[in-house]
Amino acid sequence: MEKIATECSRPINLALTRADTHTGEITNLGYSKPCGSRLAEKCPHCSNVYRGDAISVLQSGLKGAENSTIPFTFITFTAPGADAFGPTHQRVVDTAKSGRPHVRRCGCRQVHAEGDLLIGTPLDPANYRFDLAADFNAHASRLLTVTMQRLGRVVGRKLSYARVAEFQTRGLIHFHVIVKGIVTERSVQTVVRGGVDLRVVEDNESRGPGTGQRRRNVNVKAARHGDWTWGAQVDVQRVLPGGKFGVGAYLTKLLGYAVKGTDTSANGPYQHRRKMQSAALRTHKCKKGMDCALGSRLMPDGKTFYQSAPSKRFCRGHQLAYNGWGFRGHVLAFSRKWGMTFKEVRNKRKVFATAATWVSDRFVVLGWSISPRGSPRIA
């Protein structure tokens, strides 16, 4: 069998069976399809391709911003604190009056060095709520969607934004969002914490030109999805075009977050990672039945579910939850009106790569076969 290699370090082996319409000869060809991973630690080649596509998509939304007066707003949403999940080891650095950095003592009464594996791990692993941590990661994407929709109502326009998900050292998701236009910190805090928003609304009782609007106090509830809200730390920064702190600097920052490894970026020893992964598998529910190791099946009454016979494989949802510690969304995502999509960028790259390639109609494809991938196991 002829083998066509690829630069990917984890290729997917494909077998092609084709027939020659001129001679009737049937041949088998072996292909190595790139894995398509965006993680540099797993595949440097595919991660570079993903990085180039991400740059094109981000620049399509920021096109012309460097030479125009269009500002941007950079918002960071974080997860709830220790009161929701439990205290963890921390390394907090303050700046003293003399200008020298001062490291606070952790809750364990020790001063952790930079890069200590204990940072982010629970002080009391026996009582730490790993299940709640995985559940928050699972609902974080929807919570951000609800927040941005409500923020658009408060601002008075539909927001165009790009967001990147990143893991904190304790293994919880937080988001970096870059929004076209200026969004005030007061509006963001009103949506996140709840409060009173002073809006301009239409007044049908007013008569005469220029009297058709009035101001009204609108009570805004805190953004919530299920039982989850955002943590206390919400950062809002204005990004002006050009300059040292312009859009280009934040574009590089977003790309750095986008190509990070979501399954190994969180710090911690082996046992902490395994507990987070196991909690993610247990908290994620699917209805795949016997097709999934943790799937459930519907009872004859049509109302209740029971655990099916265990399979040797997990469904895609459980695999994503295992790799992302409960988080199953896309690391890099955009609103509909941001710019080009990944599909459009990849189609352009495909057309460019195959523009000078002559495709013969002499061969007929009879079939493809692919080797299956493995599945993770519960700790």
Side-chain angles (χ1 to χ4, degrees):
M1 178 185 293
E2 182 184 353
K3 189 71 174 180
I4 300 178
T6 179
E7 297 180 8
C8 176
S9 59
R10 298 191 316 150
I12 303 174
N13 296 324
L14 300 175
L16 167 64
T17 303
R18 69 180 186 181
D20 192 336
T21 57
H22 292 182
T23 62
E25 181 183 2
I26 298 178
T27 57
N28 294 324
L29 294 176
Y31 288 89
S32 294
K33 179 184 176 183
C35 63
S37 175
R38 63 171 188 83
L39 307 180
E41 59 190 14
K42 291 186 177 180
C43 183
H45 173 73
C46 292
S47 65
N48 288 332
V49 175
Y50 178 87
R51 184 182 182 88
D53 294 342
I55 290 176
S56 300
V57 176
L58 284 173
Q59 287 182 342
S60 66
L62 302 174
K63 187 177 181 180
E66 294 288 350
N67 300 322
S68 65
T69 57
I70 302 176
F72 288 79
T73 305
F74 194 79
I75 311 174
T76 301
F77 298 97
T78 58
D83 54 341
F85 312 104
T88 58
H89 293 273
Q90 296 181 351
R91 186 178 187 271
V92 181
V93 182
D94 296 329
T95 303
K97 295 182 179 180
S98 60
R100 296 180 179 179
H102 172 71
V103 183
R104 298 184 190 177
R105 285 187 178 272
C106 178
C108 63
R109 308 309 301 167
Q110 295 182 1
V111 177
H112 294 289
E114 187 176 0
D116 190 350
L117 293 179
L118 287 178
I119 298 176
T121 60
L123 294 176
D124 186 7
N127 295 323
Y128 187 78
R129 299 302 303 272
F130 290 97
D131 55 340
L132 295 182
D135 188 66
F136 173 81
N137 288 342
H139 294 86
S141 294
R142 181 57 187 169
L143 176 59
L144 179 68
T145 302
V146 172
T147 302
M148 298 306 295
Q149 291 175 350
R150 190 166 298 182
L151 183 60
R153 299 190 191 104
V154 172
V155 175
R157 57 185 173 86
K158 193 171 183 178
L159 299 179
S160 178
Y161 63 92
R163 65 92 173 149
V164 173
E166 186 193 11
F167 276 93
Q168 295 176 320
T169 55
R170 54 180 177 158
L172 295 172
I173 282 289
H174 71 285
F175 291 98
H176 302 277
V177 185
I178 185 167
V179 185
K180 289 184 180 180
I182 289 296
V183 178
T184 62
E185 185 175 359
R186 179 180 178 181
S187 299
V188 177
Q189 293 293 345
T190 300
V191 172
V192 173
R193 306 284 171 249
V196 178
D197 177 46
L198 190 62
R199 302 188 189 182
V200 177
V201 296
E202 296 293 333
D203 188 1
N204 297 327
E205 298 180 357
S206 301
R207 297 181 180 180
T211 60
Q213 293 182 344
R214 63 184 177 88
R215 293 191 175 274
R216 186 183 67 180
N217 293 336
V218 179
N219 293 324
V220 179
K221 295 183 179 180
R224 177 182 295 272
H225 176 60
D227 298 331
W228 295 112
T229 58
W230 296 112
Q233 297 180 358
V234 178
D235 184 44
V236 181
Q237 299 182 21
R238 296 182 181 181
V239 185
L240 299 178
K244 181 178 180 181
F245 301 101
V247 176
Y250 279 90
L251 175 62
T252 305
K253 191 175 183 179
L254 281 175
L255 286 174
Y257 291 138
V259 297
K260 273 190 174 181
T262 57
D263 53 348
T264 57
S265 61
N267 201 358
Y270 175 79
Q271 288 296 332
H272 178 64
R273 297 198 303 268
R274 298 296 288 176
K275 288 182 179 179
M276 288 290 294
Q277 292 166 348
S278 298
L281 288 177
R282 292 193 305 268
T283 55
H284 177 63
K285 305 297 181 182
C286 72
K287 302 176 183 178
K288 297 294 183 179
M290 295 184 181
D291 296 333
C292 178
L294 295 177
S296 58
R297 301 183 66 185
L298 187 64
M299 291 285 286
D301 58 4
K303 298 180 180 179
T304 57
F305 290 86
Y306 69 97
Q307 183 66 41
S308 64
S311 174
K312 294 182 180 180
R313 297 182 178 275
F314 294 115
C315 64
R316 177 169 174 79
H318 274 98
Q319 289 180 351
L320 292 175
Y322 177 90
N323 294 329
W325 295 9
F327 178 70
R328 305 187 305 275
H330 294 283
V331 176
L332 180 62
F334 310 87
S335 59
R336 293 184 177 180
K337 296 185 177 181
W338 173 261
M340 290 191 301
T341 62
F342 271 100
K343 184 177 181 179
E344 294 173 347
V345 171
R346 286 163 181 166
N347 287 337
K348 287 185 177 182
R349 176 162 49 82
K350 182 179 179 180
V351 171
F352 176 79
T354 59
T357 303
W358 175 70
V359 180
S360 174
D361 56 355
R362 177 177 176 176
F363 299 98
V364 177
V365 177
L366 300 180
W368 290 88
S369 61
I370 183 174
S371 59
R373 289 186 178 181
S375 298
R377 297 181 178 273
I378 305 176

